[in-house]
Amino acid sequence: MVGPIPVMRFSIRSRSGVRTGLAMLASVTLSSALASPALARQAGLPGGRISCEVASKDSLSAAEQKQIKDSADGMIARLRDTDPQVSVRGRDEIIEPLACEGVTVAFRAAFGQALEPALRELIRGNDARLAANALLIVGKVKSSASPTLLRLGLEDRRAPVRLAAAAGYKELLLPPSASLPDRTIEPVLALLGEALGRETDPKVADVLIAALDSARSSDAMRARANVQIVEGLTARLRETRAGDSTGAWGPAILRGVEATKNTLLQQIGANSVDREFARKAATLGAMALAYVADRVARDQVTDQGALDQTLEAITASAEGEIVFAHSLAGGAETLRAIDLRNAYNRAVESGDATDFQRRLRSWIGPDGLFTKAPYNVPAADLAIQR
């Protein structure tokens, strides 16, 4: 029988929020790519652009399909232009009709078919900027070809291209995704989870987690996506803890712990908690705490620095995830919070981590909670690495 869910209270220091911006996407951001509402509402647009009237049609005539194809060819030509201003204009024009209200499956299919050959070529090309723009466009189109094209980018050796592919997947999975049936989305979630588990760049991993967490067309879909987050990020943490000398993985770890904790809380509210997911979520929380302990033990943390703020947030979120998940995961009794956030803050401010490490040992030490059932994590996986 599952015990009562404990109420947790944390004291919070006055600090600026942790930022997890995607700096690597600066050159390919779509923030300027959406047309103004006034333009988007027009029925007919000059310069070969596509109107919202066409984009919202449930069926397209042969003439309208030809118009879409001709317009797409012109936009792609501008996207390829060596003049950056012309290239940006082409990108913006492609995205413009996709910002309309009521974009139909019929339009996405026709537009995607018209764009696909050129976008595929750009993704495979040597120009990383054009490849990244193409991937972001593919994600917004949300056609049946989008998952295949995005996979090309996700498998690229260039980190900025993989990052753009991950951002494209996020666009693809954001509601509405009516043009993509569940049988198409399920393999995408598995693919993203596998990619997260092997990704070597922390910024790309951060966007992969954001992409998975955007799959919320249903509670069941969200649950399956978060299983991929918890499995992929746990695997990555085992590989990256020792080598992360700068704390670069902190933002991705924080995003992953927050996403899985919030999904766990959603399941608690809906009385639909999956015991295996709760166990895996708690284990991720333990791995995240070990990551924080490593950084403290190595004196990598400066009080009030960006890494400090990230690690503080990870500590609080991971403790919460563990406390909420433990009894649901099959733990023998309700687990109480051990005030890790304040202990962490004292360790950083004073330079003495003795109390912080003592509290951690009860959970992740050689004979701690997570080395026993229902977790049975090898003690070596959780040992603090100096």
Side-chain angles (χ1 to χ4, degrees):
M1 180 175 178
V2 174
I5 303 302
V7 176
M8 301 184 63
R9 296 179 175 87
F10 297 106
S11 61
I12 301 174
R13 289 191 290 169
S14 177
R15 291 185 172 192
S16 59
V18 176
R19 296 184 179 275
T20 57
L22 308 181
M24 294 175 68
L25 268 181
S27 64
V28 295
T29 181
L30 295 183
S31 60
S32 63
L34 299 181
S36 68
L39 283 175
R41 285 193 297 269
Q42 293 182 28
L45 300 175
R49 289 145 63 200
I50 298 172
S51 70
C52 286
E53 181 181 357
V54 172
S56 59
K57 286 196 170 186
D58 287 318
S59 61
L60 297 163
S61 67
E64 287 165 337
Q65 292 183 47
K66 184 178 185 305
Q67 176 200 348
I68 291 170
K69 176 66 168 64
D70 292 345
S71 295
D73 289 345
M75 295 170 187
I76 288 291
R78 288 186 283 279
L79 179 65
R80 292 177 183 272
D81 200 284
T82 55
D83 184 331
Q85 291 185 332
V86 177
S87 181
V88 168
R89 175 187 160 200
R91 181 199 65 188
D92 293 356
E93 289 172 353
I94 293 171
I95 291 169
E96 187 175 36
L98 300 169
C100 297
E101 291 185 13
V103 178
T104 62
V105 173
F107 174 75
R108 291 187 187 278
F111 199 32
Q113 185 176 11
L115 293 169
E116 179 185 352
L119 293 178
R120 183 184 295 272
E121 181 183 342
L122 292 176
I123 292 166
R124 287 175 165 170
N126 294 325
D127 190 321
R129 180 186 63 84
L130 284 177
N133 271 315
L135 288 161
L136 289 163
I137 290 167
V138 165
K140 282 193 168 290
V141 171
K142 296 189 180 186
S143 73
S144 59
S146 291
T148 301
L149 295 178
L150 289 170
R151 182 169 186 168
L152 291 176
L154 199 60
E155 295 172 347
D156 197 278
R157 69 184 185 281
R158 298 165 292 183
V161 176
R162 295 199 305 278
L163 191 147
Y169 273 116
K170 180 180 178 182
E171 292 290 341
L172 181 73
L173 294 171
L174 279 171
S177 54
S179 57
L180 297 171
D182 283 0
R183 67 177 182 275
T184 300
I185 295 178
E186 289 288 353
V188 167
L189 300 181
L191 177 70
L192 292 175
E194 292 169 5
L196 175 59
R198 66 173 182 268
E199 181 54 57
T200 57
D201 189 290
K203 291 186 175 67
V204 178
D206 192 22
V207 187
L208 286 169
I209 293 167
L212 282 162
D213 196 38
S214 69
R216 299 189 177 191
S217 59
S218 67
D219 289 346
M221 184 67 68
R222 179 179 181 179
R224 289 193 289 272
N226 271 262
V227 167
Q228 297 297 331
I229 293 174
V230 79
E231 291 180 351
L233 185 54
T234 299
R236 196 87 296 270
L237 265 169
R238 287 192 176 99
E239 298 294 326
T240 60
R241 275 181 56 202
D244 188 9
S245 60
T246 63
W249 279 87
I253 294 167
L254 176 58
R255 187 186 296 277
V257 172
E258 278 286 294
T260 52
K261 181 187 71 175
N262 289 336
T263 296
L264 181 66
L265 290 173
Q266 178 269 323
Q267 292 182 1
I268 291 171
N271 196 27
S272 61
V273 176
D274 178 86
R275 173 171 286 195
E276 183 63 9
F277 175 69
R279 186 187 67 79
K280 290 178 178 180
T283 302
L284 174 60
M287 293 292 294
L289 289 176
Y291 174 88
V292 173
D294 289 350
R295 311 282 80 73
V296 174
R298 295 179 181 186
D299 294 325
Q300 292 178 350
V301 188
T302 302
D303 186 28
Q304 301 290 336
L307 178 58
D308 172 31
Q309 295 171 26
T310 302
L311 296 179
E312 179 189 13
I314 292 172
T315 301
S317 191
E319 182 176 10
E321 181 163 49
I322 290 167
V323 170
F324 290 132
H326 180 65
S327 61
L328 302 168
E333 57 186 26
T334 300
L335 195 64
R336 295 185 181 278
I338 54 177
D339 199 20
L340 285 175
R341 185 177 198 157
N342 286 327
Y344 166 83
N345 287 334
R346 289 192 296 271
V348 174
E349 290 165 0
S350 68
D352 182 359
T354 303
D355 180 57
F356 181 55
Q357 293 175 349
R358 178 184 62 79
R359 292 170 188 265
L360 282 175
R361 278 196 296 272
S362 66
W363 283 2
I364 64 171
D367 194 38
L369 176 75
F370 280 89
T371 63
K372 304 169 184 176
Y375 308 109
N376 299 314
V377 179
D381 285 358
L382 298 171
I384 297 174
Q385 301 172 7
R386 292 176 172 82

